[in-house]
Structures are given as C-alpha cells and as structure tokens.
Amino acid sequence: MKIHEYQAKRILSHAGIAVPEGDYASTPLEARLIAERLGKTSVVKAQVHAGGRGKAGGVRVVESPAEAEEAAAALIGTNLVTHQTGPQGVPVNGVLVEEAIDIAKELYVSLVVDGAAEGVVAMASEAGGIDIEEVAEKTPDKLLKVAIDPVLGLQPFQGRKLAYGLNVEPELVRTVAGIAGALYRIIEERDSSLIEINPLVITTDGRLLAADAKFGFDDDALFRHDDLQALHDPDQEDPLEAEAGEFGISYVKLDGNVGCIVNGAGLAMATMDVTNAAGAAPANFLDVGGGADEEKVAQALRIVVSDPNVETVLINIFGGILRCDIVARGLVMASESQPDRMLPMVVRMLGTNAEEGRRLLSESSLDVTLVNDLNEAADAIKSAS
Ligand code: GDP
Ligand code: MN
C-alpha cells in the first residue's frame, strides 16, 4: 500500500525528521487559508500516489494566497499524468500547501526491503531531485548502497557512511546519520517496504529538510497497523485492482490480452510464463487463493473480463482445498450473469473433483477448451489468438 506525501511527512515529523511547514487542503479555499497562515512564498503540490509530479506540472510555486487558491483550483478535480502513471493519470483530490524552501542542494535517500539482500538496503546519492532515475541508470556509482543486517539494525557507522556518501558538510553528518536511523526504525515498526526521500534538501541556511516523501507498506502486515489502514486511498488504485482487493483476490493488471485465473501465486507466475511462451501476453496476474468459494471464483472471472483488452481466458487450477467442481460452478455462475461478455476459455483442471469440474464445464453453454497440461494450454492459446 502507498500513502500520500502529506501523510508520509506526518510520520516523518513524528519520528523527529524535519519537514517544511504546511498542511493538506481538499478545496482551493482551504489552500488559500493555509498559504495565508504560512505568510510567505509557498508551494502547492498535487497529492497523488505517483512520482514525477514536478515534471508534470503537479508542483507549483506561488507568491500569494490568491495564487495558492488558483493553483489548487487548477489541480484539484483533474487527473495528473506523470511518467509513473498510465495515460489516464491519477485523480488529484487534494493538495499539500507548504512553505517554499530555498534549496542549496537536493540529495536522495531511500530504504527498501530487498529480497536479494535478505534485508533492508539503504541508498543515498548527492545527485537527488527529479532526475534520480537517470542517475541510477547512467552513473550508478553515484548511488551508494548499504545493506543492513536485520539482527543488528542500522548501525551508527552505517549512518555516517551514508552521510559521507552524500558528501555533506561535517556539521551535517550527525543529522544525516540520525535521519537514516529514524527511517530504519519506521521501516521496522510499521512494516514499511519502501521509504524514499527525494529530495532531502540542504537549505541555503544549512538545514536539512525532507521536501518529498514516498512510503510503501507491506500489504500482508497491514492487519497489525490500524493507523496505517486508515490512510488507504482506493481512489489512487486501478479500479479493478481495488475491487479484487475487496474480495481478497490478488490481482495485478498487465497489458496483454489473455486473462489468467489461477490458484496459487507460484502457479500464477508459471501460467504467465506459459502464456508468454505461446507468443501471447497475459492481461493480468490473478491468484484466487486457497479458500476460494464459488462466489469468489465468479468474482475473479468478472474482474478479468471487465478488462476490455482481454480476448481469451486461461484457467489453471490445481484442485486441493479448492475443489475443481466449485471452480467450474463459479465460472458458470459468472458467465451466465454476463452473457454478453462470454469469452473463449482454455481450462486446465487437476486434483480434487477434477472430473466433476470438467463435466460441469463441458455440459455448460460456455465456450470451453479443456486441456490436460500446460503444453496443450499453450497450443490452445496459440490457436485462439
Ligand atoms: P516529484 O516530482 O513527484 O518527486 O515531487 P517533489 O516533491 O520531489 O518535487 C519536485 C521538485 O520540485 C523538487 O525536486 C524541487 O526541485 C522542487 N520543489 C519542491 N518543493 C520545493 C520548494 O519548497 N521550493 C522550491 N524552490 N522547489 C521545490
Ligand atoms: Mn520527489
């Protein structure tokens, strides 16, 4: 789960990390009042779960409360398209109005849970700001990486190492190390998977301020963080992904035209590989999970076929706790409720009650090709597309 910049900055501020003074506004009038209270040059920043706002016109410097109101009016209610969003962009439902800061230098600091490193990796670069992706790609030596041992946590010497890597003045080394330590504690305490401060600004008067903040949280740990659950903003998610989430279905939308319905994350990955190997492209990752019932399977099919790109549906079920006859009933249920969106299906079913499931499907009015293994599935997809 992602959260908004203004929410992330509240967490940072709580952890003792300095952020610019400001507040969230959901209307232009509120934006004006905040700018009035700040009483100086301000920035109005679109609050969306995507980076690249600066380059997309989502960050505006304003000289007066009237201008703040105008900038907010121009942003709120629109969709912001950045290089990190799809072509439709994401809706701007509010803005952060902050004191503008005088920037001497923009640094980059991030902490990410890295599976390959089996722990958190902290990254720092003195070339922060809006072109950090280019820095990482073209001059990776400018990005310092420090792996943190999960048993020991972030050690003071590692904080100092990051500070030296950022090439800050000696009097700021302690502050940078303190920030790194505080960020690591946030990761630990809140089951965060990513924290990115870009830019971490050195102001012209020599202070360090977190001018932007992006947080990611581990969805599987959210159950133990009520305060974080309250920050969930479904408006920022792909509508199909949000709907799937409500039914406990793991669904990630992709760009292809073969919809996939599978039980088990590993099997879902393998099914996507088979689809690719057949020269077709998966339209989604979907795992109905182990404890699915008829209704959940039906929901999964409804979600998959509501993607207009989908032309064929590949169903790959290894029946265990989830019985194949239940899956078949769910597929029939969904198809009969949406007869105008009945797409050809390639179905591989093995395991508990597979025979019963296959019988139910072949006796139904669905356009089903039953296959026995993944090779046959690939052939069937090939001939369908
Ligand atoms: P992002 O593009 O979505 O990552 O949004 P950021 O919050 O990082 O803002 C993009 C850029 O806007 C920053 O790198 C800064 O150069 C600039 N910016 C943001 N806040 C301020 C500010 O208070 N004062 C000034 N002068 N520039 C700012
Ligand atoms: Mn940024």
Side-chain angles (χ1 to χ4, degrees), residues 53 198-199 212 214:
R53 295 167 303 164
N198 185 36
D212 188 15
K214 297 204 165 33

Side-chain angles (χ1 to χ4, degrees), residues 54-102:
K55 284 183 177 170
V59 177
R60 306 193 181 184
V61 179
V62 295
E63 300 298 338
S64 68
E67 274 185 32
E69 183 171 358
E70 243 171 72
L75 289 169
I76 296 171
T78 66
N79 273 23
L80 189 70
V81 181
T82 83
H83 71 268
Q84 291 188 7
T85 69
Q88 273 95 48
V90 275
V92 183
N93 294 326
V95 293
L96 175 61
V97 184
E98 283 186 336
E99 57 170 333
I101 46 178
D102 292 322

Side-chain angles (χ1 to χ4, degrees), residues 68-342:
E69 183 171 358
E70 243 171 72
L75 289 169
I76 296 171
T78 66
N79 273 23
L80 189 70
V81 181
T82 83
H83 71 268
Q84 291 188 7
T85 69
Q88 273 95 48
V90 275
V92 183
N93 294 326
V95 293
L96 175 61
V97 184
E98 283 186 336
E99 57 170 333
I101 46 178
D102 292 322
I103 299 177
K105 194 169 177 187
E106 300 189 83
L107 311 174
Y108 172 91
V109 175
S110 71
L111 276 77
V112 59
V113 176
D114 182 329
E118 297 179 9
V120 174
V121 172
M123 285 178 272
S125 172
E126 64 171 314
I130 54 180
D131 292 319
I132 189 68
E133 277 119 346
E134 212 176 305
V135 172
E137 198 178 308
K138 294 192 179 143
T139 46
D141 50 305
K142 284 200 175 160
L143 194 63
L144 171 71
K145 294 186 183 182
V146 176
I148 298 154
D149 187 313
V151 176
L152 301 174
L154 192 140
Q155 299 288 291
F157 81 89
Q158 293 178 312
R160 288 194 295 275
K161 187 171 174 189
L162 290 165
Y164 296 133
L166 289 170
N167 207 11
V168 296
E169 299 291 324
E171 60 269 24
L172 285 180
V173 168
R174 192 192 279 261
T175 315
V176 169
I179 290 174
L183 294 179
Y184 187 75
R185 277 192 297 280
I186 295 174
I187 291 243
E188 271 194 326
E189 282 165 13
R190 304 200 178 236
D191 294 305
S192 175
S193 51
L194 163 84
I195 300 181
E196 185 185 75
I197 312 292
N198 185 36
L200 174 65
V201 164
I202 305 180
T203 61
T204 46
D205 57 358
R207 293 176 302 138
L208 273 171
L209 282 179
D212 188 15
K214 297 204 165 33
F215 279 33
F217 297 98
D218 184 343
D219 292 340
D220 291 325
L222 281 176
F223 72 93
R224 57 185 182 194
H225 299 286
D226 292 348
D227 53 338
L228 294 176
Q229 285 171 36
L231 305 182
H232 180 224
D233 182 356
D235 281 0
Q236 299 291 314
E237 292 170 3
D238 178 275
L240 287 180
E241 290 186 10
E243 194 187 335
E246 278 170 32
F247 291 100
I249 297 167
S250 306
Y251 171 87
V252 180
K253 189 177 150 25
L254 302 167
D255 295 329
N257 56 8
V258 179
C260 298
I261 297 180
V262 185
N263 66 325
L267 195 58
M269 304 290 264
T271 306
M272 290 161 65
D273 285 348
V274 167
T275 308
N276 277 317
N284 61 272
F285 166 97
L286 188 150
D287 173 13
V288 288
D293 56 13
E294 242 168 85
E295 184 52 45
K296 198 163 160 189
V297 171
Q299 258 332 316
L301 182 59
R302 287 188 195 112
I303 287 166
V304 165
V305 302
S306 19
D307 174 351
N309 296 337
V310 172
E311 290 166 11
T312 322
V313 183
L314 171 59
I315 290 145
N316 189 9
I317 298 294
F318 195 86
I321 300 169
L322 173 59
R323 287 161 23 209
C324 293
D325 57 316
I326 302 257
V327 173
R329 285 200 177 85
L331 296 176
V332 172
M333 186 199 277
S335 304
E336 284 174 350
S337 70
Q338 278 177 304
D340 48 333
R341 189 78 176 125
M342 231 188 252

